[in-house]
Coordinates of all heavy atoms in Angstrom, one line a residue:
M14 N -15.5 66.1 1.8 CA -15.2 65.8 0.5 C -14.7 67.0 -0.3 O -15.4 68.0 -0.2 CB -16.4 65.1 -0.2 CG -16.2 64.8 -1.6 SD -17.6 63.9 -2.3 CE -19.0 65.0 -2.1
S15 N -13.6 66.9 -1.0 CA -13.1 68.0 -1.7 C -14.0 68.3 -3.0 O -14.5 67.3 -3.5 CB -11.7 67.7 -2.1 OG -11.2 68.7 -3.0
S16 N -14.0 69.5 -3.4 CA -14.8 69.8 -4.6 C -14.0 69.4 -5.9 O -14.5 69.4 -7.0 CB -15.2 71.3 -4.7 OG -14.1 72.1 -4.7
A17 N -12.7 69.2 -5.8 CA -11.9 68.9 -6.9 C -11.6 67.3 -6.9 O -10.5 66.9 -6.4 CB -10.6 69.6 -6.8
L18 N -12.5 66.6 -7.4 CA -12.4 65.1 -7.4 C -12.0 64.7 -8.8 O -12.4 65.3 -9.8 CB -13.7 64.4 -7.1 CG -14.2 64.4 -5.7 CD1 -15.6 63.8 -5.6 CD2 -13.2 63.6 -4.8
A19 N -11.2 63.7 -8.9 CA -10.8 63.1 -10.2 C -11.7 61.9 -10.3 O -12.1 61.3 -9.3 CB -9.3 62.8 -10.2
I20 N -11.8 61.4 -11.5 CA -12.6 60.2 -11.8 C -11.9 59.0 -11.0 O -12.6 58.2 -10.5 CB -12.7 59.9 -13.3 CG1 -13.6 61.0 -13.9 CG2 -13.2 58.5 -13.5 CD1 -13.8 60.9 -15.4
R21 N -10.6 59.1 -10.9 CA -9.9 58.0 -10.1 C -10.3 58.0 -8.7 O -10.5 57.0 -8.1 CB -8.4 58.3 -10.2 CG -7.5 57.4 -9.4 CD -6.0 57.8 -9.4 NE -5.8 59.2 -8.9 CZ -5.5 60.3 -9.7 NH1 -5.5 60.2 -11.0 NH2 -5.3 61.5 -9.2
D22 N -10.6 59.2 -8.1 CA -11.0 59.3 -6.7 C -12.4 58.7 -6.5 O -12.6 58.0 -5.5 CB -11.1 60.8 -6.2 CG -9.8 61.5 -6.3 OD1 -8.7 60.8 -6.0 OD2 -9.8 62.7 -6.6
I23 N -13.3 58.9 -7.4 CA -14.6 58.3 -7.4 C -14.4 56.7 -7.5 O -15.0 56.0 -6.7 CB -15.5 58.8 -8.5 CG1 -15.7 60.3 -8.4 CG2 -16.9 58.1 -8.5 CD1 -16.3 60.9 -9.7
H24 N -13.7 56.3 -8.4 CA -13.4 54.9 -8.7 C -12.9 54.2 -7.4 O -13.4 53.2 -7.0 CB -12.4 54.7 -9.8 CG -12.2 53.3 -10.2 ND1 -11.2 52.5 -9.7 CD2 -12.8 52.5 -11.1 CE1 -11.2 51.3 -10.2 NE2 -12.2 51.3 -11.1
E25 N -11.9 54.8 -6.7 CA -11.3 54.3 -5.5 C -12.2 54.3 -4.3 O -12.1 53.5 -3.4 CB -10.0 55.0 -5.2 CG -8.9 54.7 -6.2 CD -7.7 55.5 -6.1 OE1 -7.6 56.4 -5.2 OE2 -6.7 55.3 -6.9
A26 N -13.2 55.2 -4.3 CA -14.1 55.3 -3.2 C -15.2 54.2 -3.2 O -15.9 54.0 -2.2 CB -14.7 56.7 -3.1
L27 N -15.4 53.6 -4.4 CA -16.5 52.6 -4.5 C -16.1 51.3 -4.0 O -14.9 51.0 -4.0 CB -16.8 52.5 -6.0 CG -17.4 53.7 -6.7 CD1 -17.4 53.5 -8.2 CD2 -18.8 54.0 -6.2
P28 N -17.0 50.5 -3.5 CA -16.7 49.2 -3.1 C -16.2 48.4 -4.3 O -16.6 48.7 -5.4 CB -18.1 48.6 -2.7 CG -19.0 49.8 -2.4 CD -18.4 50.9 -3.3
E29 N -15.3 47.5 -4.0 CA -14.5 46.8 -5.1 C -15.5 46.2 -6.1 O -15.2 46.2 -7.3 CB -13.6 45.8 -4.5 CG -12.6 45.3 -5.6 CD -11.5 44.5 -4.9 OE1 -11.1 44.8 -3.8 OE2 -11.0 43.5 -5.6
D30 N -16.6 45.6 -5.7 CA -17.5 44.9 -6.6 C -18.3 45.9 -7.4 O -18.9 45.4 -8.4 CB -18.4 44.0 -5.8 CG -19.3 44.7 -4.8 OD1 -18.9 45.8 -4.3 OD2 -20.4 44.3 -4.6
Q31 N -18.3 47.2 -7.1 CA -19.0 48.1 -7.9 C -18.1 48.8 -9.0 O -18.6 49.5 -9.9 CB -19.6 49.2 -7.0 CG -20.7 48.7 -6.2 CD -21.9 48.2 -7.0 OE1 -22.4 49.0 -7.9 NE2 -22.4 47.0 -6.8
R32 N -16.8 48.7 -8.9 CA -15.9 49.4 -9.7 C -16.1 49.0 -11.2 O -16.0 49.9 -12.1 CB -14.5 49.2 -9.3 CG -14.2 49.9 -8.0 CD -12.8 49.6 -7.5 NE -12.6 50.3 -6.1 CZ -11.6 50.0 -5.4 NH1 -10.7 49.2 -5.7 NH2 -11.6 50.6 -4.2
R33 N -16.2 47.8 -11.5 CA -16.4 47.4 -12.9 C -17.7 47.9 -13.5 O -17.7 48.3 -14.7 CB -16.3 45.9 -13.1 CG -17.3 45.0 -12.5 CD -17.0 43.5 -12.7 NE -17.9 42.7 -11.9 CZ -19.1 42.3 -12.3 NH1 -19.5 42.7 -13.5 NH2 -19.9 41.6 -11.5
H34 N -18.7 48.0 -12.7 CA -20.0 48.6 -13.1 C -19.8 50.1 -13.5 O -20.3 50.6 -14.5 CB -21.1 48.5 -12.1 CG -21.4 47.1 -11.8 ND1 -22.0 46.2 -12.7 CD2 -21.3 46.3 -10.7 CE1 -22.2 45.0 -12.2 NE2 -21.7 45.1 -10.9
F35 N -19.0 50.8 -12.6 CA -18.7 52.2 -12.8 C -17.9 52.4 -14.1 O -18.2 53.2 -14.9 CB -17.9 52.7 -11.6 CG -17.4 54.1 -11.8 CD1 -18.2 55.2 -11.7 CD2 -16.0 54.3 -12.2 CE1 -17.7 56.5 -11.9 CE2 -15.5 55.6 -12.4 CZ -16.3 56.7 -12.2
D36 N -16.9 51.5 -14.3 CA -16.1 51.6 -15.5 C -16.9 51.4 -16.7 O -16.7 52.1 -17.7 CB -14.9 50.6 -15.4 CG -13.9 50.9 -14.3 OD1 -13.9 52.1 -13.9 OD2 -13.2 50.0 -13.9
A37 N -17.8 50.4 -16.7 CA -18.6 50.1 -17.9 C -19.5 51.2 -18.2 O -19.7 51.6 -19.4 CB -19.4 48.8 -17.6
E38 N -20.2 51.8 -17.2 CA -21.1 52.9 -17.4 C -20.3 54.1 -17.9 O -20.8 54.8 -18.8 CB -21.9 53.2 -16.2 CG -22.9 54.3 -16.4 CD -23.8 54.5 -15.2 OE1 -23.8 53.8 -14.3 OE2 -24.5 55.6 -15.3
L39 N -19.2 54.4 -17.3 CA -18.3 55.5 -17.8 C -18.0 55.4 -19.2 O -18.0 56.4 -20.0 CB -17.1 55.6 -16.9 CG -16.1 56.8 -17.2 CD1 -16.8 58.1 -16.9 CD2 -14.9 56.7 -16.3
A40 N -17.6 54.2 -19.7 CA -17.2 54.0 -21.1 C -18.4 54.2 -22.0 O -18.2 54.6 -23.2 CB -16.7 52.6 -21.2
E41 N -19.6 54.0 -21.6 CA -20.8 54.1 -22.5 C -21.5 55.4 -22.3 O -22.4 55.7 -23.1 CB -21.7 52.9 -22.2 CG -21.2 51.5 -22.4 CD -20.8 51.3 -23.9 OE1 -21.6 51.8 -24.8 OE2 -19.8 50.7 -24.2
T42 N -21.2 56.2 -21.4 CA -21.9 57.5 -21.1 C -21.5 58.6 -22.1 O -20.3 58.8 -22.3 CB -21.7 57.9 -19.7 OG1 -22.2 56.9 -18.8 CG2 -22.4 59.2 -19.4
E43 N -22.5 59.2 -22.7 CA -22.2 60.3 -23.6 C -21.6 61.5 -22.8 O -22.0 61.7 -21.6 CB -23.4 60.8 -24.4 CG -23.9 59.7 -25.3 CD -25.1 60.1 -26.1 OE1 -25.4 61.3 -26.1 OE2 -25.8 59.2 -26.6
V44 N -20.8 62.3 -23.4 CA -20.1 63.4 -22.7 C -21.1 64.4 -22.0 O -20.9 64.8 -20.9 CB -19.2 64.2 -23.7 CG1 -18.7 65.5 -23.0 CG2 -18.1 63.3 -24.2
D45 N -22.2 64.7 -22.7 CA -23.3 65.6 -22.1 C -23.9 65.0 -20.9 O -24.4 65.7 -20.0 CB -24.4 65.8 -23.1 CG -23.9 66.7 -24.3 OD1 -22.8 67.2 -24.2 OD2 -24.6 66.7 -25.4
A46 N -23.9 63.7 -20.7 CA -24.6 63.0 -19.6 C -23.6 62.7 -18.4 O -24.0 62.2 -17.4 CB -25.2 61.7 -20.0
L47 N -22.3 63.0 -18.6 CA -21.3 62.7 -17.6 C -21.5 63.4 -16.3 O -21.4 62.7 -15.2 CB -19.9 63.1 -18.1 CG -19.1 62.1 -18.9 CD1 -17.8 62.6 -19.4 CD2 -18.9 60.8 -18.1
P48 N -21.9 64.7 -16.2 CA -22.1 65.3 -14.9 C -23.1 64.5 -14.0 O -22.9 64.2 -12.9 CB -22.5 66.7 -15.2 CG -21.9 67.0 -16.5 CD -22.0 65.7 -17.3
E49 N -24.2 64.2 -14.6 CA -25.3 63.4 -13.9 C -24.8 62.0 -13.5 O -25.0 61.6 -12.3 CB -26.5 63.3 -14.8 CG -27.7 62.6 -14.1 CD -28.9 62.5 -15.0 OE1 -29.1 63.3 -15.9 OE2 -29.6 61.5 -14.8
M50 N -24.2 61.4 -14.4 CA -23.6 60.0 -14.1 C -22.6 60.1 -13.0 O -22.7 59.3 -12.0 CB -23.0 59.4 -15.4 CG -22.4 58.0 -15.2 SD -20.6 58.2 -15.1 CE -20.1 56.5 -15.0
L51 N -21.7 61.0 -13.0 CA -20.6 61.1 -12.0 C -21.2 61.5 -10.7 O -20.8 61.0 -9.6 CB -19.6 62.1 -12.5 CG -18.7 61.6 -13.7 CD1 -17.8 62.7 -14.1 CD2 -17.9 60.4 -13.3
H52 N -22.2 62.4 -10.7 CA -22.8 62.8 -9.4 C -23.5 61.6 -8.7 O -23.3 61.4 -7.5 CB -23.9 63.9 -9.7 CG -24.5 64.4 -8.4 ND1 -25.7 63.8 -7.9 CD2 -24.1 65.3 -7.5 CE1 -26.0 64.4 -6.8 NE2 -25.1 65.3 -6.5
R53 N -24.1 60.8 -9.5 CA -24.8 59.6 -8.9 C -23.7 58.6 -8.3 O -23.9 58.1 -7.2 CB -25.5 58.9 -10.0 CG -26.4 57.7 -9.6 CD -27.4 57.2 -10.6 NE -27.0 57.5 -12.0 CZ -26.3 56.7 -12.7 NH1 -25.7 55.6 -12.2 NH2 -26.0 57.0 -14.0
W54 N -22.6 58.4 -9.0 CA -21.6 57.6 -8.5 C -20.8 58.2 -7.3 O -20.4 57.5 -6.4 CB -20.6 57.1 -9.6 CG -21.2 56.1 -10.5 CD1 -21.8 56.2 -11.7 CD2 -21.3 54.7 -10.2 NE1 -22.2 55.0 -12.2 CE2 -21.9 54.0 -11.3 CE3 -20.8 53.9 -9.1 CZ2 -22.1 52.7 -11.3 CZ3 -21.0 52.5 -9.2 CH2 -21.7 51.9 -10.3
I55 N -20.7 59.5 -7.3 CA -20.0 60.2 -6.2 C -20.9 59.9 -4.9 O -20.4 59.6 -3.9 CB -19.9 61.7 -6.4 CG1 -18.8 61.9 -7.5 CG2 -19.6 62.5 -5.2 CD1 -18.7 63.4 -8.0
T56 N -22.2 60.1 -5.1 CA -23.1 59.8 -4.0 C -22.9 58.4 -3.4 O -22.8 58.2 -2.2 CB -24.6 60.1 -4.4 OG1 -24.7 61.4 -4.8 CG2 -25.5 59.8 -3.2
L57 N -22.9 57.4 -4.3 CA -22.7 56.0 -3.9 C -21.3 55.8 -3.2 O -21.3 55.1 -2.2 CB -22.8 55.1 -5.1 CG -24.1 54.9 -5.7 CD1 -24.0 54.1 -7.0 CD2 -25.1 54.2 -4.8
G58 N -20.3 56.5 -3.7 CA -19.0 56.3 -3.2 C -18.7 57.0 -1.9 O -17.8 56.6 -1.1
F59 N -19.4 58.1 -1.6 CA -19.0 59.0 -0.5 C -20.1 59.2 0.5 O -20.0 60.0 1.4 CB -18.5 60.3 -1.0 CG -17.2 60.2 -1.7 CD1 -17.2 60.1 -3.1 CD2 -16.0 60.3 -1.0 CE1 -16.0 60.1 -3.8 CE2 -14.8 60.2 -1.7 CZ -14.8 60.1 -3.1
D60 N -21.2 58.5 0.4 CA -22.4 58.8 1.3 C -22.2 58.1 2.7 O -23.0 58.4 3.6 CB -23.7 58.4 0.6 CG -23.9 56.9 0.5 OD1 -23.0 56.1 0.8 OD2 -25.1 56.5 0.1
G61 N -21.3 57.2 2.8 CA -21.1 56.5 4.1 C -22.1 55.4 4.5 O -22.0 54.9 5.5
F62 N -23.0 55.1 3.5 CA -24.0 54.1 3.8 C -23.4 52.7 4.0 O -23.8 52.0 5.0 CB -25.1 54.1 2.7 CG -26.2 53.2 3.0 CD1 -27.1 53.4 4.0 CD2 -26.4 52.0 2.2 CE1 -28.2 52.6 4.3 CE2 -27.5 51.2 2.5 CZ -28.3 51.5 3.5
E63 N -22.5 52.4 3.2 CA -21.9 51.0 3.4 C -21.2 50.9 4.7 O -21.3 49.9 5.4 CB -20.9 50.8 2.3 CG -20.2 49.4 2.4 CD -19.2 49.1 1.3 OE1 -18.7 50.0 0.7 OE2 -19.0 47.9 1.1
E64 N -20.5 52.0 5.1 CA -19.8 52.0 6.4 C -20.8 51.9 7.6 O -20.6 51.2 8.6 CB -18.9 53.2 6.6 CG -17.7 53.3 5.7 CD -18.0 53.7 4.3 OE1 -19.1 54.3 4.1 OE2 -17.1 53.5 3.4
F65 N -21.9 52.5 7.4 CA -23.0 52.5 8.4 C -23.5 51.0 8.6 O -23.6 50.5 9.7 CB -24.1 53.4 8.1 CG -25.4 53.2 8.9 CD1 -25.4 53.6 10.2 CD2 -26.5 52.6 8.3 CE1 -26.6 53.4 11.0 CE2 -27.6 52.4 9.1 CZ -27.7 52.8 10.4
L66 N -23.8 50.4 7.5 CA -24.3 49.0 7.5 C -23.3 48.1 8.1 O -23.7 47.2 8.9 CB -24.6 48.5 6.1 CG -25.9 49.1 5.5 CD1 -26.1 48.5 4.1 CD2 -27.1 48.8 6.3
L67 N -22.0 48.2 7.8 CA -21.0 47.3 8.3 C -20.7 47.6 9.8 O -20.2 46.7 10.5 CB -19.7 47.5 7.5 CG -19.9 47.0 6.0 CD1 -18.6 47.2 5.3 CD2 -20.2 45.5 6.0
S68 N -21.0 48.8 10.3 CA -20.6 49.1 11.7 C -21.6 48.4 12.7 O -21.1 48.0 13.7 CB -20.7 50.6 11.9 OG -22.0 51.1 11.8
M69 N -22.8 48.3 12.4 CA -23.8 47.6 13.3 C -25.0 47.2 12.5 O -26.1 47.7 12.7 CB -24.1 48.5 14.4 CG -24.7 49.9 14.1 SD -25.2 50.8 15.6 CE -24.4 52.3 15.2
P70 N -24.9 46.3 11.6 CA -26.0 46.0 10.7 C -27.2 45.3 11.3 O -28.3 45.6 10.9 CB -25.3 45.0 9.7 CG -24.2 44.4 10.4 CD -23.7 45.5 11.3
F71 N -27.0 44.6 12.4 CA -28.2 43.9 13.0 C -28.3 44.1 14.5 O -28.9 43.3 15.2 CB -28.1 42.4 12.7 CG -27.9 42.1 11.2 CD1 -26.8 41.5 10.7 CD2 -29.0 42.3 10.4 CE1 -26.6 41.3 9.4 CE2 -28.9 42.0 9.0 CZ -27.7 41.5 8.5
E72 N -27.7 45.2 14.9 CA -27.8 45.4 16.4 C -29.2 45.6 16.9 O -30.0 46.4 16.3 CB -27.0 46.7 16.7 CG -26.8 47.0 18.1 CD -25.9 48.1 18.4 OE1 -24.7 48.0 18.0 OE2 -26.4 49.1 18.9
G73 N -29.6 44.8 17.9 CA -30.9 45.0 18.5 C -32.0 44.2 17.8 O -33.1 44.2 18.2
L74 N -31.6 43.4 16.7 CA -32.7 42.6 16.0 C -32.6 41.2 16.5 O -31.5 40.7 16.7 CB -32.4 42.7 14.5 CG -32.6 44.1 13.9 CD1 -32.3 44.0 12.4 CD2 -34.0 44.6 14.0
E75 N -33.7 40.6 16.6 CA -33.8 39.2 17.0 C -34.3 38.4 15.8 O -35.4 38.7 15.3 CB -34.7 38.9 18.2 CG -34.1 39.5 19.5 CD -35.0 39.3 20.7 OE1 -35.7 38.3 20.7 OE2 -35.0 40.1 21.6
F76 N -33.6 37.5 15.3 CA -34.0 36.7 14.1 C -34.8 35.5 14.5 O -34.5 34.9 15.5 CB -32.8 36.3 13.3 CG -32.1 37.5 12.6 CD1 -31.1 38.2 13.2 CD2 -32.6 38.1 11.5 CE1 -30.5 39.3 12.7 CE2 -32.1 39.2 10.9 CZ -31.0 39.8 11.5
G77 N -35.7 35.1 13.7 CA -36.5 33.9 13.9 C -37.8 34.1 14.6 O -38.7 33.3 14.5
A78 N -38.0 35.2 15.3 CA -39.2 35.5 16.0 C -40.1 36.3 15.0 O -39.7 37.1 14.3 CB -38.9 36.3 17.2
R79 N -41.4 36.0 15.1 CA -42.4 36.7 14.3 C -43.4 37.3 15.3 O -43.7 36.8 16.3 CB -43.1 35.8 13.3 CG -42.1 35.2 12.3 CD -42.8 34.1 11.6 NE -43.0 33.0 12.5 CZ -43.3 31.7 12.2 NH1 -43.3 31.4 11.0 NH2 -43.5 30.8 13.1
S80 N -43.9 38.5 14.9 CA -44.8 39.2 15.8 C -46.1 38.4 16.1 O -46.6 38.6 17.2 CB -45.2 40.6 15.2 OG -45.8 40.4 14.0
Y81 N -46.5 37.6 15.2 CA -47.8 36.8 15.5 C -47.5 35.5 16.3 O -48.5 34.9 16.7 CB -48.5 36.6 14.2 CG -47.7 35.8 13.1 CD1 -47.6 34.4 13.2 CD2 -47.1 36.5 12.1 CE1 -46.9 33.7 12.2 CE2 -46.4 35.8 11.2 CZ -46.3 34.4 11.2 OH -45.6 33.7 10.3
D82 N -46.3 35.2 16.5 CA -46.0 34.0 17.3 C -46.5 34.1 18.7 O -47.1 33.2 19.3 CB -44.5 33.7 17.4 CG -44.0 33.1 16.1 OD1 -44.8 32.6 15.3 OD2 -42.7 33.1 15.9
D83 N -46.4 35.3 19.3 CA -46.9 35.6 20.7 C -48.4 35.5 20.7 O -49.0 35.0 21.7 CB -46.5 37.0 21.2 CG -45.0 37.0 21.4 OD1 -44.3 36.0 21.6 OD2 -44.4 38.2 21.3
Q84 N -49.1 35.9 19.7 CA -50.5 35.9 19.7 C -51.0 34.4 19.6 O -52.0 34.0 20.3 CB -51.1 36.6 18.4 CG -50.8 38.1 18.5 CD -51.2 38.8 17.2 OE1 -51.5 38.1 16.2 NE2 -51.1 40.1 17.1
E85 N -50.4 33.6 18.8 CA -50.8 32.1 18.7 C -50.5 31.4 20.0 O -51.3 30.5 20.4 CB -50.0 31.5 17.6 CG -50.5 32.0 16.2 CD -49.7 31.4 15.1 OE1 -48.8 30.5 15.3 OE2 -49.9 31.7 13.9
A86 N -49.4 31.7 20.7 CA -49.1 31.1 22.0 C -50.1 31.3 23.1 O -50.4 30.5 23.9 CB -47.7 31.5 22.5
G87 N -50.8 32.5 23.0 CA -51.8 32.9 24.0 C -53.2 32.3 23.7 O -54.0 32.3 24.6
E88 N -53.4 31.7 22.5 CA -54.7 31.2 22.2 C -54.9 29.8 22.6 O -54.1 29.0 22.8 CB -54.9 31.3 20.7 CG -55.0 32.8 20.2 CD -55.2 32.9 18.7 OE1 -55.2 31.9 18.0 OE2 -55.2 34.0 18.3

């Protein structure tokens, strides 16, 4: 990630459903609070977490089984 980001870059890096929240917060944030607000959104837009979740969100998980089901079957 380049150190010279524009607000447009942050906006474009966010998931589409988060962009309007970013725009609304940006419009209401006081100038003195901008660095903290932008840092938070930069983290959300560039941390790679969404890509990680989409790459293998449920790999290795079995749904519908509960750990205590095996105990009850043995009783």
Side-chain angles (χ1 to χ4, degrees):
M14 174 173 64
S15 170
S16 62
L18 285 175
I20 292 175
R21 173 185 62 257
D22 298 326
I23 301 167
H24 185 270
E25 290 173 359
L27 294 170
E29 192 169 329
D30 62 329
Q31 292 295 310
R32 291 177 184 167
R33 65 184 170 86
H34 298 294
F35 172 79
D36 293 340
E38 186 174 348
L39 181 62
E41 297 297 321
T42 300
E43 294 181 17
V44 173
D45 293 344
L47 273 176
E49 181 181 333
M50 178 259 183
L51 292 174
H52 182 268
R53 187 167 26 85
W54 283 100
I55 287 169
T56 302
L57 288 171
F59 292 95
D60 71 353
F62 185 67
E63 181 181 25
E64 291 80 13
F65 168 74
L66 287 179
L67 294 175
S68 68
M69 57 178 131
F71 304 112
E72 187 173 297
L74 296 178
E75 294 180 27
F76 291 95
R79 297 170 293 200
S80 61
Y81 57 83
D82 284 344
D83 293 335
Q84 294 171 354
E85 290 176 5
E88 292 178 3

